[in-house]
Amino acid sequence: MSLTGSRPGGRGGWLPSRQGLLKGGGVVVTLAVTLLGLLLITFLIGRVMPIDPVLAVVGERATNEVYEATRKAMGLDQPIIIQFFTYIGEVARGDFGTSLLTSRPVIEDIARVFPATLELATVATLLGVAIGIPAGVMAAVHQGRWPDHVVRLLGLFGYSMPIFWLGLVGLLIFYGKLDWVAGPGRLDVFFEDIVPQVTGVILIDSLIAGDLEVFSNALSHIILPASVLGYYSLAYISRMTRSFMLEQLAQEYITTARVKGVSEARVIWGHALGNVMVPLITVIALSYATLLEGSVLTEIVFAWPGIGFYITNALLSADMNAVLGGTVVVGIVFVGLNLLSDTLYRVFDPRAR
């Protein structure tokens, strides 16, 4: 039996082939090396930053004895390689130290603020998918004509306009002038802490609690920042959809389907789009990961209390434990979503296995 195929297991199941095991092992090694590199970079950043972590704890008026005792307690008197392995062990336990800004463990702060970023990036991605895929299909079907030019122009604007400028303009027009949406933040002050936190995502928690008034207020707050952030997702997804569709529409099976009298709608939305959904899964996953890590400016403009806003405030306050802890978590999420997209690609496309 070929080593590239699967072989029957002892109980009638199927065991993975040697080639499959090698691929799986390669993925694990790549993941481990990537995470190790991420930890090494954040560790070195914490050591080269012109901020003394000991002084940040004890203050500038501390005596030399207190300074040295604190430095020893923090393990900074150890050789650098020992400090690095100690750092790896602490991260593996979820211990990122204590935030100087909040006086709470950094991991608790991250668990509190990350759902806000997750909520914002998720809604933005859904908007990008809902508009970007049909726009990309329309551009491919009408290649070289005005719908194609409009979609490509909108995509160009999406890549070119600074997100902080777009956010400020959106606030000025839709909140300040037209009063169509709520202002910065996740909720009006009156609605804060009314709904019990279950998931940390207000839109979901308000529905669980059956409080439609809080849900409506949260939706009014999120629609503008999610639209601004989703515009960048839309630009990327529409461009990739157009590219994939153009490739599929030039294939012989499309010509054959048309010759057989299959309706144009079925040819486009059934055959062609069905075949591009596999690579689009990867595109959407990467776009989602990018929004999770790149929503810092959006969160600052809209005072959105997510992890980007948290890291920025920590950096301005020289709270390096919070900065490095947040950076590591965002990096791990990005690597995890990349691994998920690769896995989904292999699941839905047998040619990639």
Side-chain angles (χ1 to χ4, degrees):
M1 180 174 290
S2 171
L3 293 176
T4 60
S6 299
R7 58 186 177 86
R11 295 185 180 180
W14 291 89
L15 296 179
S17 66
R18 181 178 299 179
Q19 184 179 2
L21 290 174
L22 289 176
K23 286 182 179 180
V27 170
V28 172
V29 171
T30 302
L31 180 62
V33 171
T34 303
L35 292 177
L36 186 63
L38 172 66
L39 293 178
L40 177 61
I41 292 173
T42 54
F43 173 78
L44 293 177
I45 289 175
R47 295 302 183 270
V48 302
M49 285 288 288
I51 299 174
D52 190 335
V54 180
L55 285 180
V57 174
V58 300
E60 296 182 356
R61 297 184 179 181
T63 63
N64 288 335
E65 291 78 9
V66 172
Y67 179 90
E68 290 299 328
T70 304
R71 182 171 180 269
K72 184 176 182 181
M74 296 175 67
L76 298 178
D77 60 328
Q78 299 291 328
I80 193 72
I81 188 67
I82 300 298
Q83 294 183 39
F84 178 58
F85 282 108
T86 302
Y87 175 68
I88 293 177
E90 291 173 347
V91 171
R93 297 192 304 270
D95 181 9
F96 296 106
T98 301
S99 169
L100 301 178
L101 192 61
T102 65
S103 299
R104 290 192 298 263
V106 171
I107 191 64
E108 291 184 6
D109 285 342
I110 293 175
R112 175 176 54 84
V113 301
F114 189 74
T117 299
L118 184 67
E119 181 178 38
L120 179 61
T122 302
V123 175
T125 302
L126 291 175
L127 290 174
V129 170
I131 302 175
I133 291 180
V137 172
M138 182 177 65
V141 172
H142 300 282
Q143 183 185 11
R145 287 176 279 179
W146 71 264
D148 185 23
H149 297 318
V150 170
V151 171
R152 294 172 68 183
L153 186 62
L154 290 175
L156 179 62
F157 285 157
Y159 281 110
S160 303
M161 287 188 294
I163 194 167
F164 67 88
W165 178 85
L166 191 61
L168 291 173
V169 171
L171 280 173
L172 175 63
I173 296 175
F174 298 105
Y175 169 61
K177 298 294 185 181
L178 301 177
D179 196 26
W180 287 358
V181 296
R186 294 180 80 189
L187 283 173
D188 289 342
V189 177
F190 177 78
F191 293 104
E192 290 183 357
D193 300 324
I194 292 180
V195 173
Q197 287 196 8
V198 179
T199 64
V201 177
I202 294 179
L203 291 176
I204 296 178
D205 290 346
S206 59
L207 289 178
I208 293 176
D211 196 326
L212 296 182
E213 193 174 7
V214 174
F215 176 83
S216 177
N217 187 259
L219 186 63
S220 181
H221 275 274
I222 198 175
I223 192 65
L224 185 56
S227 297
V228 170
L229 195 60
Y231 186 21
Y232 290 83
S233 176
L234 184 156
Y236 176 52
I237 292 174
S238 64
R239 181 170 64 88
M240 297 306 296
T241 303
R242 177 184 181 276
S243 177
F244 293 149
M245 285 294 294
L246 286 176
E247 181 182 356
Q248 291 299 316
L249 291 175
Q251 299 296 319
E252 292 183 359
Y253 77 91
I254 295 294
T255 303
T256 302
R258 285 170 172 163
V259 170
K260 289 183 175 180
V262 178
S263 66
E264 189 67 11
R266 185 176 179 185
V267 169
I268 295 171
W269 299 100
H271 297 308
L273 184 60
N275 283 332
V276 304
M277 286 308 298
V278 173
L280 271 181
I281 290 175
T282 302
V283 169
I284 293 169
L286 293 178
S287 175
Y288 186 46
T290 302
L291 294 187
L292 280 174
E293 71 162 357
S295 60
V296 176
L297 290 177
T298 306
E299 292 184 0
I300 292 174
V301 170
F302 291 94
W304 193 263
I307 193 167
F309 192 72
Y310 173 75
I311 292 176
T312 302
N313 287 336
L315 185 60
L316 294 176
S317 303
D319 188 355
M320 292 310 298
N321 285 341
V323 172
L324 296 180
T327 302
V328 169
V329 169
V330 171
I332 291 174
V333 170
F334 189 86
V335 171
L337 286 173
N338 272 272
L339 179 62
L340 176 62
S341 67
D342 183 68
T343 303
L344 292 175
Y345 191 90
R346 294 178 183 276
V347 168
F348 290 105
D349 189 355
R351 297 170 298 179
R353 296 174 188 170

